Amino acid sequence: MALPQSPRAVRRQTPRSLRTPLFLALALALPAVAMAQDGGQDPRHDEVKDLDRVVVSASPLRRNAEDLIRPVEVLGGEALDNAKANSLGETVGRLPGVQASYFGPGVGRPIIRGLDGARVQVLSDGLSAGDVSTVSVDHAVSIEPFLASQIEVLKGPSSLLYGSGAIGGAVNVVEGRVPDAVTAEPIEGRAEVRFGTGNDEKTAMARMDATAANGKLVFHIDGLHRETGDYDIPGYAEHAHDGDADHEPGARGRLPNSFVRTDAGAFGMSYVGERGHLGMAASLFNTRYGIPGHAHAHEDDHGGGEEHGEEGVSIRMDQRRTELRGGLRGLGIFDSLRVKLSNTDYTHTEFEGDEIGTVFENDTLEARAELVHLDWAGWDGAFGLQASQRDFVAIGEEAFVPASKSRDTGLFWVGEREFGALKLELGARYDRNTIDVDSSEAIGPSRDFDASNLSAALRWNLSDDFHLSFGIDRAQRSPTSEELYSDGLHVATNSFEFGDPTLDVETANRVEAGLHWHRGNLSLGASLYYVGYDDFIYLADTGVTDDDIPARVWTQGDARFTGAEFDLKWTFLENAGGDWMLHAYGDIVRGRLTGSGTRSVAFSVPHDDHTHDYTADIALSGDLPRIAPARFGAELRWSNTHWRAGLGAVRYFDQDRVAEFEETTDGYTLVNADIAWHIDRANGNAYELFVNANNLLDEEARPHTSFLKDLAPLPGRNVSFGVRMFF
């Protein structure tokens, strides 16, 4: 039976027939407006080419990437243009130590050093995205990477800065929707239109910042529209394992129900004075996408796209967000104060054909204050206070997580001091987390948790070109409501999931050593790390199936993660014909349970008029599930005044270190290329024509990290092309 639609799920939407012309007009009109302005230099020339010198806004101390002791990656400028994709995970997925989850082209979350989900915090200009992408792997991140001006990835425990949900790292997307400074020119911005061959992509985006004539009011506007159809694949959608004699190959050449429709936009304004700024912004993110390989628990042959058949599963996600931000400088013994406040109204509706199956609603209110102090006994540092409230409810027969209200409050300090060639960073944080649930719905009582974090990092500058870094952390994470209270069929993963309301706080102890060498046109970075977990929370396969649907349980066990990564950039030739650069990188991580014996768990699978009771023994040793495979990539790039081009390949190795009841995954190689022609106009505006080609060898690729790896391979050969405009 179809559910009555939630009031917040009923949104006024622009008819699809009008969206594409509207956004194409926006993308083309903003540069035309800017042409009337007298320009100076091409805005692209103002971009910092060495990303190590870009200020990392995720750090309260606002250091650049070169000066930060903690491992960080920054995407900006041309590198970000070349990397932008439909999902945030895919956009950052080629950075060293970073891969992506995959649940179709509409869903992809960052995986940092083998950790994802509730351990990786996704941020919009330093505040939580406010979505529920950690609740289920089919929930998209509500941030549009095409509208970002910079993306920062903090690797390793970042709980010190961003709380319990960042124990594995954080990804901060800098969107600049609330301006904090006047623009260099009266009007600045960019626009882009692109088309794709492998999925019939049509994308248009534009963003603009402008300062009023009085020099005090600054405005921001951005917008995006994207449409893609079902994408091409090199072979069959479903993967047949050895010995699977009954396998029916099904769809071939195109993956049914893999379409994506996305609209996003924002308007913001600020008053900027000599000592600070105060501003606000309102934004929306609306997307609809199919879940490939899913036709609910009973599957027939259905077509793709939006005409995907009666039982095809699709998602409609709608988020409305308002923000208030302000800052002051010169406060006596304090250098600056920054305050951020956001309210997010989020609705995620799952459709089975044309009928509503389940509705997820999430209201989030978050506040953050950072008070940066001046030199105190040689220490530069910042105090921080962060508080959030989340009201979550799931409506429908397949709502496997009960309604809950979560409250988190954290207080932290981070500081740094130099001792000659040594630079030391220390930090501490305390968090209080509570989860209140309706006892009539949940399988256990409400819970509250205390989490503490201690951190120390040291950098030793052996010379101007070479330094070593060392880090040690003790970080804690509180269980989430889905880990505590899941109870029933999870349609997205086609499995039964059962939480454990007795789960305890997990504790991570990290040790890391790294080096960075930068001399002339050669830079090399490398790191080794070890993270030991006490009471690591994970979703374990039980080996039990009910009506061919597997049962999984949330449980705990001691674990360890070990890994290494490197990044090499070498500009080996510079002459009148252009600059040639070689970029190579690689990473490897292994996650293992370090206990012994087994743990017995009991659970019940509900049916219409009865339940099936089961008991299973969970091994407390062995490899953890869905750990990202080892990877090596290399790219050759060339550029001159007007042209740039690149050809690269990434090898994902076999993943045969798998958990109990988990299948191994074959490796694959993805070959990519890009070329762009850039022209500067006399008035300071610029145009860029580009062509990007992905998976040139049309290879079948199935990520080991994906729940859909046997149902939905990555896209085959795809060429996208278009024009970018800068003004």
Side-chain angles (χ1 to χ4, degrees):
M1 177 182 296
L3 288 172
Q5 218 167 348
S6 164
R8 288 187 302 173
V10 179
R11 306 288 190 188
R12 289 187 301 167
Q13 299 183 7
T14 305
R16 192 182 339 127
S17 60
L18 298 180
R19 292 179 196 162
T20 302
L22 187 152
F23 276 89
L24 285 172
L26 176 64
L28 295 173
L30 288 182
V33 173
M35 294 297 181
Q37 304 294 325
D38 290 330
Q41 279 191 314
D42 163 28
R44 298 282 283 186
H45 292 168
D46 294 333
E47 290 183 353
V48 181
K49 299 301 181 183
D50 183 359
L51 290 177
D52 285 343
R53 309 306 300 175
V54 173
V55 173
V56 178
S57 62
S59 168
L61 300 180
R62 300 296 173 110
R63 303 292 189 249
N64 58 54
E66 172 70 17
D67 291 336
L68 283 177
I69 304 177
R70 296 176 171 277
V72 62
E73 299 282 348
V74 179
L75 266 179
E78 295 174 355
L80 179 57
D81 285 339
N82 291 336
K84 284 177 179 176
N86 286 356
S87 70
L88 179 61
E90 186 181 354
T91 299
V92 300
R94 294 181 191 171
L95 296 173
V98 186
Q99 296 194 34
S101 65
Y102 188 74
F103 213 82
V107 184
R109 239 182 161 268
I111 299 174
I112 300 179
R113 294 179 170 179
L115 299 170
D116 63 349
R119 294 183 180 87
V120 174
Q121 181 78 277
V122 175
L123 307 163
S124 172
D125 283 314
L127 291 176
S128 169
D131 55 39
V132 294
S133 59
T134 62
V135 171
S136 173
V137 291
D138 68 322
H139 292 199
V141 175
S142 59
I143 292 178
E144 175 50 59
F146 269 72
L147 296 174
S149 58
Q150 180 173 305
I151 300 178
E152 306 158 355
V153 180
L154 306 179
K155 296 187 288 188
S158 302
S159 307
L160 171 67
L161 298 178
Y162 292 105
S164 185
I167 197 170
V171 178
N172 183 44
V173 181
V174 181
E175 298 171 298
R177 287 173 163 171
V178 179
D180 59 4
V182 298
T183 57
E185 300 293 334
I187 298 178
E188 300 176 347
R190 57 180 292 152
E192 178 175 323
V193 178
R194 74 163 59 195
F195 304 90
T197 62
N199 57 359
D200 301 321
E201 177 187 6
K202 295 180 285 290
T203 298
M205 64 77 60
R207 58 172 293 158
M208 181 182 72
D209 294 276
T211 300
N214 62 9
K216 299 295 184 180
L217 289 178
V218 186
F219 301 91
H220 170 92
I221 184 172
D222 64 52
L224 173 137
H225 175 74
R226 175 187 297 114
E227 293 186 13
T228 72
D230 294 344
Y231 64 76
D232 294 341
I233 54 177
Y236 290 104
E238 294 191 30
H239 175 63
H241 293 284
D242 295 339
D244 190 358
D246 298 329
H247 175 73
E248 296 182 4
R252 181 180 185 182
R254 186 170 285 253
L255 185 65
N257 206 31
S258 56
F259 70 93
V260 179
R261 308 280 188 270
T262 301
D263 293 292
F267 174 79
M269 62 179 297
S270 292
Y271 177 85
V272 180
E274 294 182 0
R275 293 187 55 197
H277 73 282
L278 178 65
M280 64 178 300
S283 62
L284 65 88
F285 183 86
N286 182 283
T287 185
R288 180 163 185 171
Y289 52 91
I291 301 297
H294 274 56
H296 202 243
H298 38 279
E299 188 166 309
D300 300 314
D301 293 330
H302 302 301
E306 286 204 271
E307 297 180 4
H308 45 270
E310 184 179 354
E311 296 297 335
V313 177
S314 65
I315 307 296
R316 176 174 293 162
M317 192 185 80
D318 187 278
Q319 177 172 290
R320 309 297 169 101
R321 182 178 175 98
T322 55
E323 301 177 64
L324 178 67
R325 297 171 183 257
L328 282 175
R329 297 182 297 273
L331 303 174
I333 61 173
F334 295 100
D335 177 69
S336 64
L337 171 67
R338 287 185 290 270
V339 179
K340 310 171 186 179
L341 178 68
S342 69
N343 181 70
T344 306
D345 178 5
Y346 171 100
T347 302
H348 171 110
T349 307
E350 298 183 354
F351 288 86
E352 300 167 26
D354 295 326
E355 294 187 349
I356 297 174
T358 307
V359 178
F360 298 87
E361 295 182 347
N362 192 64
D363 282 341
T364 303
L365 181 65
E366 182 177 9
R368 182 179 177 93
E370 299 170 351
L371 184 61
V372 180
H373 62 73
L374 299 172
D375 187 327
W376 289 4
W379 289 87
D380 294 326
F383 295 95
L385 175 65
Q386 184 175 359
S388 64
Q389 176 178 298
R390 168 191 166 190
D391 293 338
F392 170 82
V393 62
I395 306 168
E397 294 180 359
E398 292 158 359
F400 68 102
V401 183
S404 63
K405 179 175 289 187
S406 303
R407 293 181 177 85
D408 302 326
T409 304
L411 178 66
F412 68 88
W413 175 83
V414 60
E416 59 183 35
R417 180 178 178 180
E418 294 188 8
F419 300 87
L422 300 177
K423 186 175 183 180
L424 177 65
E425 178 188 281
L426 299 176
R429 179 177 178 126
Y430 170 78
D431 283 271
R432 178 69 171 176
N433 313 124
T434 64
I435 301 177
D436 294 326
V437 293
D438 186 341
S439 59
S440 64
E441 298 182 15
I443 59 174
S446 300
R447 298 288 305 276
D448 55 78
F449 304 93
D450 297 294
S452 60
N453 299 273
L454 299 172
S455 174
L458 177 71
R459 189 174 72 183
W460 182 12
N461 297 312
L462 297 173
S463 69
D464 292 338
D465 303 321
F466 184 72
H467 70 251
L468 300 175
S469 59
F470 306 91
I472 182 170
D473 298 273
R474 179 187 182 275
Q476 292 186 312
R477 181 180 78 88
S478 304
T480 63
S481 59
E482 56 271 21
E483 294 166 341
L484 293 166
Y485 306 115
S486 294
D487 186 29
L489 177 65
H490 185 179
V491 176
T493 59
N494 195 33
S495 66
F496 294 103
E497 288 187 18
F498 301 97
D500 181 352
T502 67
L503 292 176
D504 201 356
V505 170
E506 70 177 23
T507 303
N509 299 287
R510 178 193 70 123
V511 177
E512 180 167 351
L515 65 85
H516 182 80
W517 181 43
H518 192 169
R519 172 170 292 180
N521 293 329
L522 177 66
S523 67
L524 172 66
S527 61
L528 296 169
Y529 58 89
Y530 168 91
V531 187
Y533 277 90
D534 298 330
D535 297 322
F536 183 82
I537 301 171
Y538 64 102
L539 186 62
D541 282 287
T542 63
V544 173
T545 60
D546 189 295
D547 288 342
D548 294 325
I549 299 176
R552 301 184 176 111
V553 297
W554 288 100
T555 188
Q556 285 185 298
D558 294 343
R560 69 166 179 261
F561 282 74
T562 55
E565 58 200 36
F566 82 95
D567 187 45
L568 169 71
K569 294 182 178 127
W570 178 30
T571 303
F572 60 88
L573 181 62
E574 295 178 308
N575 56 31
D579 300 340
W580 291 84
M581 184 189 76
L582 174 67
H583 178 210
Y585 66 95
D587 49 57
I588 185 172
V589 62
R590 188 176 187 189
R592 286 183 54 82
L593 294 167
T594 58
S596 60
T598 61
R599 173 181 291 125
S600 181
V601 296
F603 52 91
S604 299
V605 176
H607 291 269
D608 290 339
D609 55 357
H610 64 285
T611 60
H612 291 167
D613 298 325
Y614 296 98
T615 301
D617 292 327
I618 306 299
L620 298 178
S621 61
D623 291 289
L624 284 162
R626 289 172 293 282
I627 296 296
R631 180 180 59 166
F632 173 78
E635 182 182 32
L636 182 65
R637 299 207 61 83
W638 166 79
S639 64
N640 66 13
T641 304
H642 296 293
W643 290 88
R644 74 173 188 273
L647 175 65
V650 185
R651 175 62 184 176
Y652 293 80
F653 295 96
D654 296 348
Q655 182 56 286
D656 52 12
R657 293 174 171 173
V658 296
E660 191 176 14
F661 309 116
E662 185 182 24
E663 297 285 348
T664 61
T665 303
D666 294 335
Y668 51 90
T669 301
L670 299 179
V671 178
N672 308 296
D674 65 86
I675 186 169
W677 177 69
H678 186 88
I679 185 67
D680 301 331
R681 294 173 59 91
N683 63 357
N685 301 296
Y687 287 87
E688 187 170 276
L689 303 177
F690 65 91
V691 179
N692 296 336
N694 296 311
N695 196 3
L696 279 172
L697 302 182
D698 204 29
E699 182 162 358
E700 182 176 309
R702 298 180 183 272
H704 183 74
T705 56
S706 172
F707 278 93
L708 295 182
K709 69 173 184 175
D710 291 335
L711 300 175
L714 293 180
R717 184 183 299 112
N718 178 59
V719 178
S720 59
F721 55 92
V723 58
R724 299 185 182 102
M725 295 149 276
F726 308 91
F727 52 92

